[in-house]
Amino acid sequence: MWYSMGSVAIRVEQLGKEYRLGSAEAYRTARESLMGAMRAPLRWLKGDQNASLKSSDFLWAVRDISFDVHQGDVVGVVGRNGAGKSTLLKLLSRVTEPTEGTVEFRGRIGSLLEVGTGFHPELTGRENIYLNGAILGMRRAEIRRKFDEMVAFADVERFLDTPVKRYSSGMYMRLAFAVAVHLEPEILVIDEVLAVGDAQFQKKCFSKMREVAKGGRTILFVSHNLAAVRQICTTGIILHRGALIDQGDVNPIIDKYLAKELSEESQIEIVETASFKVLSVEINGESGPVIKTFDRVKVMVSFIPKVDIGDPNMYVGFLTLDNQRLAGLDFKDFKTSGRLAAGKVAELGFCIDNFPLMPGTYQVEVHLKDMANGVIEILSRTTRFDVAETPVYGGRRLDSWFGMIGMRAHALLNQRS
Amino acid sequence: MTATIDPPSSETIARESNIHTVLRARSGWQPINLKELWNYRELLWFLTMRDVKVRYKQTALGALWAVIQPLFTMIVFTIFFGRLGGLQAQTSIPYPILTFTALLPWKLFENALTNAGNSLVGNQNLITKVYFPRLMIPAAGVLVGVVDFLIAFVILIALMAWYHIVPTSAILLLPLFILLAVTTAMAAGLWLSALNVEYRDIRYVIPFLAQIWMFTTPVAYPIDIVRTKLPAAWQSVYALNPMVGVVEGFKWALLGGRPPGMIILISSFVTILLLIGGLFYFRRMEKTFADVV
């Protein structure tokens, strides 16, 4: 069948994986099996030999999934927890076997489902590089050739002969990722591993992954970090409850996914403070929940006052995920005032023209105030939002050199004659 | 298809880039994929070295344990079976060296069997996260036993010098008996490791099994006792234990005596049957390891 695959690197057809649930899924003891075997004839006499295999004992983690991945594609797999992303990657990387359907691929598949698989704490960095490399499917000669490169990438030269149990967690992660990223299969399957390490190291990992992709290799990447998916991937797949619901170019796919997620999420987000019951915090761009740099963005907080509010007021702060404050708006600076009666839904918000944040994930912090009574209540939960990766400056991919704030600018060129 | 990759890696890529793989649900019995095992041969080495290094780093006496175990067992056997039990009178060869010669392959077998039997459960983090031929795990467990054996072998040489025993040319066949011991351990280890994934009881069965197995093998006593005292009908049952062939082979190769030809043949036959069965059972269970372990 391979001759019909053309430039297709992976072809998945009607793939499904069923798991047994509950105690049946866990390992059995010999006693249970013996008891089961003894009861079997009794059940058979009673005529219900299938009694132990109710359909509710089984769960399809993924089912009826079909897609093609072309050679050189970098595919982002998105979906909530439990959508079947990890199961899909486990099936592709051969850790587990499909219950139905097929996966076809050409070449070696290298999988990175966890950073540091097979690292042993007692062994030195050097020993672990060889062991981990071999586990991931590298030849000894290959590891030796890339050894210096890996060590330099991980930045652990001085600790090569120290057992990794003495490493800091950062060093450990760097070394583990270094080995994995230097694996050079035709197809690389990566699960969420970039969630580790500091921001600087993550950037290093991203650029390494892009480099790998440019080399013509095919990558499947699962992450909750949608900004990372946009940055690295060319196409995307949305999984929802074990089914593939959409696929296509990465940016529209992520937009769709976000729109769907946000519409489902905003209904359940109720936070209560002493005087406010907050129903939702919504951040929307011009055309719905997808926010783009330089868009007109609306932040609306909808709440029910529990008491009468004399002088309602609000502060909204925009923060990075590591809580660095980027911008803030205070209602009282805008000279809008009024009274709010207890028990009736009210909304406060800001409309921001020319939203300056660059693509990425951020969070919004909300303080609700009643200036008349001197009450300031900070919402215990921040709301996350994504700024979509769009061509802010003429379509180039944006890296750390461009910072977090976008600027509307014109370039000038003069020469004295 | 991957011509754009930088030169150093291209030979690896080129070799494997045209491999076309289809994954689907397999049912029933699977043949062994020898080509794949060969491709992963280096992993076997690294897994073995991992276990050896870790043990020697974690224990104060390190490699000495490989020597202490058979040496002290020999001393205890010599006192209780050789002297007090009167077994020394039954044999022309000094009892200590007779029993040590038997203990060496026995410990090899016992350690290899124990390591292999517990290996899959002990490596669940690998099994659930990365693909490689699962056979490598019990195989590495067996090889760790071989490393201990080689260390303990030095003591045997010292003992033979002490008792002025010069081996005959039969010693050339010793590697064959080592191979038989290793194969037997691998065969039983395959069964036990795969069963252990599903039934954790196996962990407790292994030491018990090893103990009973040792007493049905001529380790602590000369086989002549069995020949003269066990009813003839039971002797053929006794000979089905492949370790009888291994231990008698060792004694013959190192200490001389009657060649145990027939016993070796029976042992080899039983081992091969056990191994083929173990391989097929392992392959059959292999696909569920990651889901069950």
Side-chain angles (χ1 to χ4, degrees):
Chain A
M1 207 186 214
W2 58 272
Y3 43 82
S4 65
M5 278 177 78
S7 74
V8 174
I10 310 173
R11 170 166 291 165
V12 174
E13 278 176 300
Q14 260 122 42
L15 189 66
K17 175 74 187 180
E18 191 179 39
Y19 282 104
R20 281 165 74 183
L21 289 178
S23 59
E25 161 70 2
Y27 48 79
R28 293 179 286 180
T29 62
R31 183 181 56 82
E32 286 166 29
S33 262
L34 286 173
M35 298 291 277
M38 283 190 285
R39 285 199 204 103
L42 283 174
R43 272 205 302 273
W44 183 78
L45 282 175
K46 286 183 201 156
D48 60 347
Q49 62 267 46
N50 285 325
S52 64
L53 299 173
K54 289 194 293 278
S55 64
S56 63
D57 290 341
F58 293 91
L59 172 85
W60 286 93
V62 293
R63 191 162 202 190
D64 201 19
I65 291 195
S66 304
F67 61 90
D68 281 357
V69 177
H70 292 271
Q71 197 222 317
D73 275 0
V74 183
V75 185
V77 182
V78 295
R80 291 184 173 181
N81 289 331
K85 303 183 300 273
S86 295
T87 304
L88 178 62
L89 291 202
K90 275 190 178 177
L91 287 166
L92 292 178
S93 56
R94 309 177 72 172
V95 167
T96 184
E97 202 169 83
T99 312
E100 58 179 37
T102 56
V103 179
E104 283 179 74
F105 58 88
R106 261 196 304 212
R108 274 203 302 186
I109 281 199
S111 66
L112 191 46
L113 302 189
E114 182 187 68
V115 163
T117 305
F119 262 45
H120 199 289
E122 295 285 347
L123 299 181
T124 66
R126 185 190 304 278
E127 289 164 340
N128 267 310
I129 289 179
Y130 278 97
L131 174 63
N132 193 226
I135 288 170
L136 294 174
M138 276 192 244
R139 298 284 162 76
R140 193 204 305 252
E142 204 177 339
I143 303 169
R144 196 176 297 137
R145 204 169 48 223
K146 291 180 189 149
F147 188 85
D148 293 335
E149 214 181 314
M150 292 180 198
V151 172
F153 188 86
D155 199 14
V156 292
E157 287 91 342
R158 285 171 48 221
F159 308 99
L160 265 184
D161 296 306
T162 309
V164 297
K165 67 179 175 185
R166 309 232 182 279
Y167 279 31
S168 72
S169 61
M171 278 159 64
Y172 185 94
M173 289 301 174
R174 288 206 302 274
L175 184 64
F177 190 81
V179 179
V181 88
H182 286 85
L183 176 73
E184 293 188 340
E186 288 79 15
I187 301 168
L188 188 59
V189 173
I190 305 178
D191 190 4
E192 204 66 74
V193 285
L194 295 177
V196 301
D198 53 37
Q200 202 193 345
F201 185 69
Q202 279 192 21
K203 270 172 210 151
K204 209 162 153 186
C205 297
F206 284 153
S207 64
K208 182 73 193 175
M209 279 175 65
R210 274 203 293 272
E211 192 188 309
V212 169
K214 272 187 200 135
R217 259 158 289 197
T218 310
I219 300 182
L220 262 97
F221 178 50
V222 160
S223 180
H224 284 109
N225 182 345
L226 297 177
V229 173
R230 285 189 202 264
Q231 247 189 342
I232 294 170
C233 302
T234 50
T235 59
I237 286 175
I238 306 179
L239 292 184
H240 186 69
R241 292 190 186 152
L244 188 152
I245 56 171
D246 214 341
Q247 56 181 318
D249 287 341
V250 71
N251 281 318
I253 278 291
I254 301 282
D255 288 351
K256 271 188 202 165
Y257 173 67
L258 276 175
K260 187 171 161 21
E261 282 299 287
L262 290 174
S263 66
E264 284 179 22
E265 217 172 75
S266 53
Q267 291 155 9
I268 48 163
E269 196 178 355
I270 295 173
V271 184
E272 283 201 63
T273 65
S275 7
F276 305 95
K277 182 180 179 185
V278 178
L279 304 175
S280 67
V281 177
E282 282 185 30
I283 307 163
N284 286 308
E286 264 153 16
S287 50
V290 177
I291 298 159
K292 292 175 177 157
T293 312
F294 305 138
D295 248 12
R296 172 173 300 176
V297 171
K298 262 189 185 169
V299 186
M300 294 304 292
V301 180
S302 138
F303 60 92
I304 301 172
K306 292 175 171 174
V307 293
D308 287 341
I309 306 289
D311 184 7
N313 231 310
M314 181 173 74
Y315 165 85
V316 172
F318 295 85
L319 288 77
T320 60
L321 290 184
D322 45 3
N323 295 322
Q324 188 189 344
R325 199 168 296 274
L326 297 171
L329 292 169
D330 202 325
F331 213 76
K332 70 169 186 275
D333 300 325
F334 294 84
K335 296 188 175 64
T336 317
S337 65
R339 291 181 61 85
L340 297 174
K344 287 184 179 165
V345 178
E347 275 188 314
L348 290 178
F350 294 103
C351 178
I352 303 151
D353 302 324
N354 226 332
F355 193 70
L357 299 188
M358 295 287 264
T361 306
Y362 302 90
Q363 48 184 346
V364 156
E365 177 188 282
V366 176
H367 304 191
L368 284 169
K369 314 181 195 176
D370 181 1
M371 299 311 282
N373 298 318
V375 173
I376 299 181
E377 286 172 352
I378 303 173
L379 257 59
S380 55
R381 263 183 64 182
T382 58
T383 306
R384 282 195 182 195
F385 67 98
D386 279 277
V387 177
E389 172 130 343
T390 45
V392 178
Y393 300 124
R396 65 180 295 170
R397 285 201 182 268
L398 299 167
D399 56 28
S400 59
W401 286 100
F402 297 89
M404 275 178 268
I405 307 296
M407 288 181 280
R408 282 254 151 106
H410 302 277
L412 306 172
L413 174 68
N414 293 312
Q415 189 173 39
R416 267 181 213 166
S417 49
Chain B
M1 86 188 221
T2 45
T4 50
I5 292 157
D6 51 307
S9 60
S10 56
E11 90 260 18
T12 344
I13 300 292
R15 195 176 56 237
E16 317 216 1
S17 64
N18 290 319
I19 297 173
H20 178 254
T21 314
V22 180
L23 310 176
R24 59 161 56 91
R26 298 174 300 173
S27 59
W29 309 101
Q30 295 297 318
I32 298 133
N33 189 342
L34 288 174
K35 186 163 177 278
E36 189 182 57
L37 290 179
W38 178 247
N39 280 339
Y40 275 90
R41 64 193 180 278
E42 288 177 354
L43 178 61
L44 180 61
W45 167 255
F46 283 117
L47 286 176
T48 308
M49 287 321 288
R50 175 193 67 177
D51 290 347
V52 171
K53 281 179 186 167
V54 166
R55 194 145 50 91
Y56 293 162
K57 282 180 186 185
Q58 279 177 336
T59 53
L61 294 180
L64 270 181
W65 279 114
V67 174
I68 292 170
Q69 285 185 352
L71 199 63
F72 276 70
T73 313
M74 178 199 80
I75 292 170
V76 170
F77 280 10
T78 304
I79 295 171
F80 288 95
F81 294 132
R83 293 282 168 82
L84 304 180
L87 287 177
Q88 175 64 76
Q90 310 263 341
T91 165
S92 55
I93 303 162
Y95 182 86
I97 193 158
L98 183 74
T99 197
F100 195 79
T101 310
L103 271 170
L104 268 189
W106 174 259
K107 282 287 170 192
L108 163 62
F109 172 76
E110 187 186 295
N111 289 338
L113 179 75
T114 309
N115 292 341
N118 290 319
S119 61
L120 287 175
V121 173
N123 283 289
Q124 23 178 309
N125 62 328
L126 285 186
I127 292 173
T128 54
K129 293 295 179 193
V130 63
Y131 174 81
F132 54 87
R134 306 309 189 199
L135 266 172
M136 292 299 171
I137 293 182
V142 168
L143 286 186
V144 173
V146 175
V147 175
D148 282 349
F149 168 79
L150 293 176
I151 296 168
F153 200 81
V154 178
I155 297 296
L156 180 74
I157 294 168
L159 271 179
M160 286 174 71
W162 176 264
Y163 285 105
H164 301 292
I165 293 172
V166 181
T168 62
S169 58
I171 198 172
L172 295 174
L173 287 173
L174 196 64
L176 270 183
F177 301 129
I178 298 173
L179 182 69
L180 185 58
V182 168
T183 314
T184 309
M186 183 69 187
L190 283 174
W191 282 100
L192 291 174
S193 62
L195 282 165
N196 206 353
V197 171
E198 193 142 8
Y199 308 110
R200 297 299 161 98
D201 308 62
I202 297 299
R203 186 155 65 99
Y204 304 101
V205 170
I206 291 171
F208 183 61
L209 178 75
Q211 201 174 31
I212 291 180
W213 202 324
M214 188 182 80
F215 285 112
T216 55
T217 306
V219 177
Y221 50 86
I223 196 169
D224 295 337
I225 290 184
V226 179
R227 286 220 179 89
T228 53
K229 292 188 179 165
L230 199 69
W234 285 100
Q235 293 212 5
S236 46
V237 177
Y238 185 85
L240 286 178
N241 170 7
M243 285 309 289
V244 174
V246 172
V247 166
E248 283 309 298
F250 256 73
K251 287 179 185 168
W252 171 66
L254 291 164
L255 309 174
R258 257 189 308 160
M262 196 56 201
I263 297 175
I264 299 290
L265 279 181
I266 296 171
S267 293
S268 307
F269 182 69
V270 172
T271 295
I272 288 168
L273 280 186
L274 197 63
L275 180 69
I276 293 172
L279 282 170
F280 275 108
Y281 181 69
F282 191 90
R283 289 286 284 170
R284 185 185 166 83
M285 301 312 289
E286 187 179 42
K287 59 188 174 191
T288 58
F289 286 166
D291 301 335
V292 178
V293 74

